[in-house]
């Protein structure tokens, strides 16, 4: 299994004239499937930066997307397709969905990617109790290797000579190195959508695992990050892990690059890039004014109550998955502190808290979702009145309702304890009807671009967050509108299609 592809597969020369010129690899693909009661498959297409990016390179470029089957419907679709999915299901894109055994995918995805790598890079462990790397961990790690090897094999088979391959995120940290061994002719890129842990936290991982991860990513010709901070952390971890077995070079006016020379092999150079993903203003603004959003806007206004005009109730908006790093519970505690310390805001503000369940197959996430609900209910029971519900908590994912909340936002609260970027911080100023003030954690990647016009907070400081909420609610309308306009301009500086093509150009260059 994994050992067949983790360092022993000889490089080979691809057959001329075969395969795709551009390949994208990610755990989740652009389409998912559900099996109906009659056995028929129903396809649902998604969106996002990769979808926009592949569309932007044009139909004349032969491109293919390689992804994993995530559920029973996906696996059935992959089996029926026996190769690429039907174009009618994918919007015309070439998509190859890998039918990786369910138990291998579960151990790799939940057992390593989400329970170990995500926790390391977001610094989520309660270190007196966790992590513990034991025999069971090693079994899950073997599945993670097998999962990455399956992607490397599929990319090898699908790539034309000299093709550009863009591999996405922490799920596939080993794949660049595995693919490099198979296909040294390819231009391989890797992009991390998460933060990167500092060296002292990355060192929680077993020494051999750290080295496997670093060497895996250094198999790429170029590895990209969302901010300078995360890129610098990766370089620092590389130095700390490989020590004298690597050299880091910084040239004036150029991005740093890392040179490694595994024993008995030719030195390889990996360039480090930074590409701060922005949002698509045209799409968001158009989508936010469709009839389904208008309907939800009216419903939210009715729930908020308090009438219109200068004395209308203000809104504090947050939209998140119930992911531990999003810090929703502390956000609710800060709102409670605002109501306790600033009674003038009682019955004059409503917190629209949209917390959409995430990773509910993991007990720690189910517990966190329940704690979010408890915190909201406690605020409502303590401060609510017959005509005012202080927190409107919604837990069912609804994109149209999220956009309606964005339009209503006077204040956006984005307070993660650690986040690769956080696109909500960028989306709300773009969509808000009257402009919004942004209360933003300094630990969000977006702070690198938006911090100057946001109200910056330490995400652990509940009292300071409550003070920032008060300042945001009290901000003069003209100042709020000016700040919001500058935030929107920064948020849209590198929209998804340009973000993708910029990386592709740099990789090919």
């Amino acid at each position: 299994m994994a050992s067949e592809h983790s360092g022993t597969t000889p490089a080979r020369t691809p057959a001329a004239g075969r395969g795709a010129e551009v390949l994208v690899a990610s755990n989740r693909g652009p389409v998912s499937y559900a099996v109906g009661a009659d056995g028929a498959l129903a396809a649902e297409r998604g969106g996002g930066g990769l979808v926009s990016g592949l569309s932007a390179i044009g139909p004349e470029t032969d491109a293919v997307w390689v992804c994993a089957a995530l559920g029973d419907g996906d696996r059935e679709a992959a089996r029926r397709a026996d190769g690429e999915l039907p174009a009618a299901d994918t919007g015309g894109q070439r998509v190859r969905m890998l039918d990786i055994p369910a138990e291998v995918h579960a151990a790799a995805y939940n057992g390593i990617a989400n329970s170990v790598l995500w926790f390391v890079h977001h610094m989520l462990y309660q270190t007196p109790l966790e992590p513990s790397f034991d025999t069971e961990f090693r079994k899950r790690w073997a599945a993670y290797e097998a999962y990455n090897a399956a992607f490397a094999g599929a990319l090898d088979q699908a790539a034309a000579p000299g093709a550009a391959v863009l591999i996405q995120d922490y799920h596939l940290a080993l794949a660049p190195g595995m693919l490099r061994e198979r296909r040294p002719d390819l231009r391989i890129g890797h992009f991390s959508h998460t933060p990167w842990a500092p060296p002292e936290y990355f060192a929680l991982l077993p020494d051999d695992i750290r080295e496997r991860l670093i060497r895996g990513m250094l198999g790429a010709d170029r590895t990209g990050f969302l901010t300078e901070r995360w890129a610098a952390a990766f370089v620092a971890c590389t130095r700390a892990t490989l020590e004298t077995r690597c050299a880091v070079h910084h040239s004036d006016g150029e991005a740093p690059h890392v040179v490694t020379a595994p024993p008995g092999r030719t030195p390889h150079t990996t360039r480090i890039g930074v590409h701060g993903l922005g949002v698509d203003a045209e799409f968001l603004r158009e989508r936010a004014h469709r009839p389904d959003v208008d309907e939800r806007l009216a419903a939210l206004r009715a729930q908020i109550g308090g009438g219109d005009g200068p004395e209308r109730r203000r809104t504090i908006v947050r939209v998140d998955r119930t992911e531990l790093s999003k810090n929703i519970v502390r956000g609710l505690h800060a709102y409670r502190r605002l109501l306790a310390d600033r009674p003038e805001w009682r019955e004059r503000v409503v917190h629209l808290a949209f917390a959409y369940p995430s990773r509910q197959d993991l007990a720690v996430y189910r517990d966190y979702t329940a704690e979010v609900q408890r915190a909201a209910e406690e605020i409502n029971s303590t401060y609510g009145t017959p005509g005012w519900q202080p927190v409107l908590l919604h837990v069912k994912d609804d994109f149209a309702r999220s956009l309606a909340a964005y339009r209503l936002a006077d204040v956006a609260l984005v307070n993660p304890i650690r986040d690769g970027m956080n696109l909500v911080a960028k989306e709300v100023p773009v969509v808000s009807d009257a402009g919004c003030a942004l209360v933003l954690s300094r630990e969000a990647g977006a702070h690198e671009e938006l911090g100057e016009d946001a109200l910056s907070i330490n995400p652990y400081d509940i009292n300071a967050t409550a003070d920032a909420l008060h300042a945001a609610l009290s901000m003069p309308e003209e100042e709020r509108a000016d700040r919001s306009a500058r935030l929107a301009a920064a948020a849209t500086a590198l929209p998804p299609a340009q973000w993708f093509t910029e990386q592709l150009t740099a990789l090919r260059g």
Side-chain angles (χ1 to χ4, degrees), residues 147-267:
Y147 166 83
N148 275 258
F151 270 86
L155 292 167
D156 172 19
Q157 293 172 11
V165 183
L166 294 104
I167 299 171
Q168 305 298 311
D169 228 358
Y170 61 102
H171 314 90
L172 295 171
L174 304 181
M178 292 176 171
L179 184 59
R180 171 68 55 205
E181 291 173 358
R182 289 170 167 267
R183 294 287 301 276
D185 64 296
L186 300 178
R187 298 294 295 173
I188 303 170
H190 185 279
F191 194 89
S192 293
H193 296 261
T194 66
W196 192 271
E200 60 274 15
Y201 208 89
F202 193 63
L204 290 176
L205 292 168
D207 292 354
D208 63 315
I209 301 299
R210 283 192 298 147
E211 183 163 347
R212 288 283 289 119
L213 290 166
I214 293 292
R215 287 199 180 279
M217 289 179 61
L218 292 178
D221 296 289
R222 201 167 186 278
T223 183
F225 298 87
L226 288 165
T227 72
E228 295 285 353
R229 179 182 177 186
W230 312 141
F234 173 77
V235 171
C237 285
T238 298
R239 281 183 165 135
T241 301
L242 299 183
E243 298 176 333
T244 59
R245 292 166 291 166
C246 74
V248 179
H249 301 277
H250 294 265
S251 303
D252 290 342
E254 292 186 8
H257 58 278
V258 180
V259 178
T260 52
R265 300 188 185 181
T266 304

Side-chain angles (χ1 to χ4, degrees), residues 40 52 64 75 86 125 149 151 177 198-199 239-240 277 352 367 386 397 404 433 451 478:
S52 300
V64 65
R75 291 188 183 91
Y125 280 123
F151 270 86
R239 281 183 165 135
L277 176 62
L352 299 178
D367 293 344
D397 196 348
D433 284 347
E478 185 176 354

